Amino acid sequence: GKQWYQRRVRVIGLRESTYELSYNSACYCLATGNLVEANNKLNRARDLCSKEFEDDETDAKCELAPIEVMRGLCLQTEGNDKDAMEIYSTVLKEKYGDSQTLSVAANNIICINKEQNMFDSKKKVKIATNAPKKLTKAQLLSIEFNSCLLSYHTNHMEQFRKKSAEMVAEGVPMAHLLLASSYIRDKKLNDALNVLPVENSSDEKTLLAASQLLLKLGSFADAASALIKIKSLADKPGMASLISTLYFLGSGPEKAVEFMDKSLKDLAETCDPANLIKWTLICARFRLAYDMPKDAASSLETLLSKYPGNVKALALLIRSVSQFDVSRAYEVAKRLPEIEIPSDIDLEELEIGTGVTAARGLRKVINPEDAKISEANRRFETKEKKRKKKKIRLPKVLVEGGPDPERWIPRQERSYYRRKKRNRNEAIGKGSQGLSSANKSAEAALDMSKKVGKKTEPVAEEPVVPPQSGKQPANKPKGKPKKKGKGKW
């Protein structure tokens, strides 16, 4: 299967009588992408290992640790991160496996955490970086790569740049993209572009990143040159259209046409007929738009020599040839297929029908009744409406000989202002506490001022009490003694 460094390994028939052999076979299935078979073989290896070490629980857990880590990798590859995280956490918690098994489990947890749970990822990095030299080179590079990414997400940019620069010096793939991302984060696009090896690289990701940076810097022609190097997208009409547009923006229509001619030759060998016809028509329209009718006609004639029944190409050829040779355009027009018109279709009715715009010079047939209705509507619409004269409103206080001289003074301060009288019934229900309208009759009966003219009975005078001495009477109870102490405050 596919092992590290993308090399193929010769398949040998493996026995699965022991848990070690079943584990090795599962690793091969996992490398080739057969996850279901790999999971089944790992379950078999776990059962065989548990049966072999059923008397010794400690040895069983030590031997089961790498099998469990591989089961977690299968689940993680399938997208079941939750169950994979439980398996890795259990292995790290029990610590029965060897150091390389623990480091692989810790590295996989960092991959699951991604930009979240940074505190847990920092702990797992310490476990992963303590791995022995028994790990393969690809595993060590993966751990180093994840450690560098963790420094990026925790904003340790100096440490991140140091690690990524060391990885670039070692020739680690994708390391230059890490270093360039740090410069892009600081908006240093030129420094990021200098880090990427655009001239000597054939990596698609590197070239795409470089072309995006060049577009942001406004170097359209250089961006097109970077995209041309991507071989997997060279036969795509969409990529050819993008590159020609970039050449047009950066170097003008001549460079764009030059690339179109080259791309047409390449697409003629590799592209399917439908895409080839589509791209040829696009190129011909571009040439016509920029006053190159002869070049457009030659490319269309080449296309029609292979596919003579294409009506769109023939119509576009007539349009291009008519700009420099009208007689030849008439000859080419004779190659157009005749249109068979059904006998039950009235052409005059189609011309004057709804939704069809009549050309200049054609008389539109109008029904006389419709003409009368339209004339009446026109007169009704154009008839001017009579405006009603509004009644002139004069001010309330009109002074003879001109406007009111006090109009700018507040109303309360004007000489003719009079306050409105209050309502006499407003005082009803108001007064001192306990007074109400129901008690007015009793109050009137007790008012002596209203009975001045009436006879009154004599009232006996009260006896005058002589003044007493300072001594109080003996029978008067004494008051309570005052409390001694501090005052109120």
Side-chain angles (χ1 to χ4, degrees):
K2 282 186 181 179
Q3 298 296 327
W4 317 121
Y5 313 116
Q6 304 293 324
R7 284 185 288 185
R8 303 289 300 182
V9 179
R10 187 166 59 92
V11 181
I12 304 172
L14 298 175
R15 295 177 297 168
E16 299 179 13
S17 55
T18 62
Y19 72 92
E20 293 95 341
L21 294 174
S22 183
Y23 174 80
N24 293 337
S25 180
C27 291
Y28 173 79
C29 293
L30 183 62
T32 54
N34 193 354
L35 300 179
V36 177
E37 188 68 23
N39 201 9
N40 293 334
K41 291 185 178 183
L42 286 171
N43 291 331
R44 175 178 169 78
R46 184 179 59 179
D47 296 338
L48 292 172
C49 182
S50 301
K51 188 181 292 186
E52 186 171 344
F53 295 96
E54 59 184 356
D55 296 333
D56 193 348
E57 185 179 357
T58 304
D59 291 346
K61 287 184 177 180
C62 291
E63 294 296 328
L64 282 172
I67 298 173
E68 292 296 323
V69 171
M70 290 302 291
R71 284 185 62 245
L73 181 59
C74 283
L75 293 170
Q76 187 178 353
T77 309
E78 290 174 352
N80 192 354
D81 293 341
K82 185 177 179 181
D83 294 340
M85 177 68 86
E86 290 180 2
I87 292 173
Y88 296 145
S89 301
T90 304
V91 171
L92 290 175
K93 186 177 180 180
E94 293 178 352
K95 296 182 180 179
Y96 280 110
D98 53 3
S99 57
Q100 60 185 12
T101 302
L102 297 178
S103 64
V104 171
N107 182 60
N108 292 348
I109 287 177
I110 295 170
C111 295
I112 293 173
N113 286 336
K114 295 181 181 178
E115 305 93 12
Q116 301 173 353
N117 204 354
M118 294 288 106
F119 184 73
D120 181 57
S121 297
K122 283 183 179 180
K123 291 182 179 179
K124 299 302 183 288
V125 162
K126 294 179 181 179
I127 301 172
T129 52
N130 290 331
K133 299 300 181 181
K134 290 183 180 180
L135 292 174
T136 62
K137 185 178 179 181
Q139 288 174 326
L140 292 172
L141 287 176
S142 176
I143 292 170
E144 189 177 357
F145 201 89
N146 288 336
S147 175
C148 188
L149 282 175
L150 185 63
S151 302
Y152 180 84
H153 289 297
T154 52
N155 294 324
H156 295 136
M157 300 309 296
E158 293 183 3
Q159 186 179 0
F160 169 75
R161 284 177 183 169
K162 182 180 178 182
K163 289 181 180 179
S164 56
E166 291 175 357
M167 292 169 67
V168 169
E170 293 174 3
V172 178
M174 304 287 292
H176 49 274
L177 291 176
L178 288 178
L179 186 57
S181 64
S182 66
Y183 290 116
I184 294 171
R185 187 175 184 177
D186 296 338
K187 297 182 180 180
K188 298 178 180 178
L189 301 182
N190 289 317
D191 294 340
L193 189 61
N194 294 331
V195 169
L196 298 175
V198 182
E199 296 180 357
N200 301 323
S201 177
S202 59
D203 183 47
E204 293 183 4
K205 295 178 181 179
T206 303
L207 293 171
L208 286 172
S211 62
Q212 189 174 5
L213 286 174
L214 289 166
L215 282 175
K216 287 185 177 181
L217 292 170
S219 302
F220 300 108
D222 295 335
S225 301
L227 291 173
I228 287 174
K229 297 179 181 179
I230 303 175
K231 302 298 181 183
S232 62
L233 302 175
D235 58 341
K236 306 293 182 183
M239 179 58 71
S241 178
L242 173 61
I243 294 170
S244 60
T245 304
L246 292 174
Y247 272 131
F248 170 72
L249 294 173
S251 303
E254 293 80 10
K255 184 69 175 178
V257 169
E258 182 182 348
F259 171 76
M260 286 178 179
D261 293 337
K262 183 181 178 183
S263 62
L264 274 175
K265 293 179 182 178
D266 297 337
L267 289 172
E269 299 175 357
T270 58
C271 192
D272 57 319
N275 287 332
L276 179 62
I277 292 169
K278 185 177 179 180
W279 179 237
T280 306
L281 294 176
I282 290 171
C283 296
R285 291 192 187 99
F286 182 84
R287 288 185 171 93
L288 284 175
Y290 290 95
D291 198 17
M292 302 177 186
K294 292 184 179 180
D295 297 335
S298 62
S299 62
L300 289 169
E301 285 177 350
T302 305
L303 179 66
L304 287 170
S305 63
K306 294 182 178 180
Y307 309 102
N310 195 300
V311 180
K312 290 183 179 180
L314 188 59
L316 199 59
L317 177 62
I318 295 167
R319 178 184 166 188
S320 57
V321 171
S322 64
Q323 295 187 16
F324 60 90
D325 193 349
V326 179
S327 59
R328 185 184 168 193
Y330 278 110
E331 294 178 1
V332 176
K334 294 177 181 178
R335 294 160 57 183
L336 287 170
E338 295 182 0
I339 301 173
E340 296 181 1
I341 302 172
S343 58
D344 57 343
I345 293 177
D346 189 359
L347 296 180
E348 293 184 359
E349 187 178 352
L350 285 174
E351 289 179 357
I352 64 174
T354 58
V356 179
T357 306
R360 292 181 182 178
L362 292 177
R363 292 186 64 187
K364 191 175 181 180
V365 180
I366 301 173
N367 193 0
E369 294 182 0
D370 296 339
K372 291 178 182 179
I373 293 169
S374 61
E375 182 66 20
N377 291 335
R378 186 182 63 79
R379 288 179 181 177
F380 178 77
E381 290 175 358
T382 56
K383 189 177 181 181
E384 293 183 359
K385 294 181 180 180
K386 292 182 179 180
R387 294 184 180 180
K388 293 182 180 181
K389 292 184 179 181
K390 292 184 179 181
K391 188 177 180 180
I392 300 171
R393 296 181 65 183
L394 298 173
K396 291 181 179 180
V397 182
L398 183 63
V399 180
E400 295 182 2
D404 184 9
E406 297 183 5
R407 64 185 181 278
W408 305 118
I409 304 172
R411 190 178 63 173
Q412 290 83 354
E413 299 177 7
R414 295 178 190 175
S415 59
Y416 51 82
Y417 175 72
R418 295 290 179 269
R419 235 180 233 280
K420 290 183 179 180
K421 292 182 180 181
R422 292 185 178 180
N423 191 2
R424 294 178 180 178
N425 297 327
E426 286 182 359
I428 295 175
K430 296 181 181 179
S432 59
Q433 187 174 0
L435 184 63
S436 64
S437 60
N439 297 332
K440 281 187 178 182
S441 59
E443 185 184 357
L446 296 172
D447 191 0
M448 301 304 294
S449 62
K450 296 180 181 180
K451 301 179 181 181
V452 177
K454 294 183 181 181
K455 294 180 179 180
T456 58
E457 296 180 359
V459 181
E461 294 182 2
E462 294 182 0
V464 178
V465 181
Q468 298 178 1
S469 61
K471 294 182 180 181
Q472 294 181 356
N475 56 356
K476 189 175 182 180
K478 294 181 179 181
K480 292 182 180 180
K482 293 183 178 179
K483 293 181 180 180
K484 295 181 179 180
K486 296 181 181 179
K488 186 177 180 181
W489 305 105

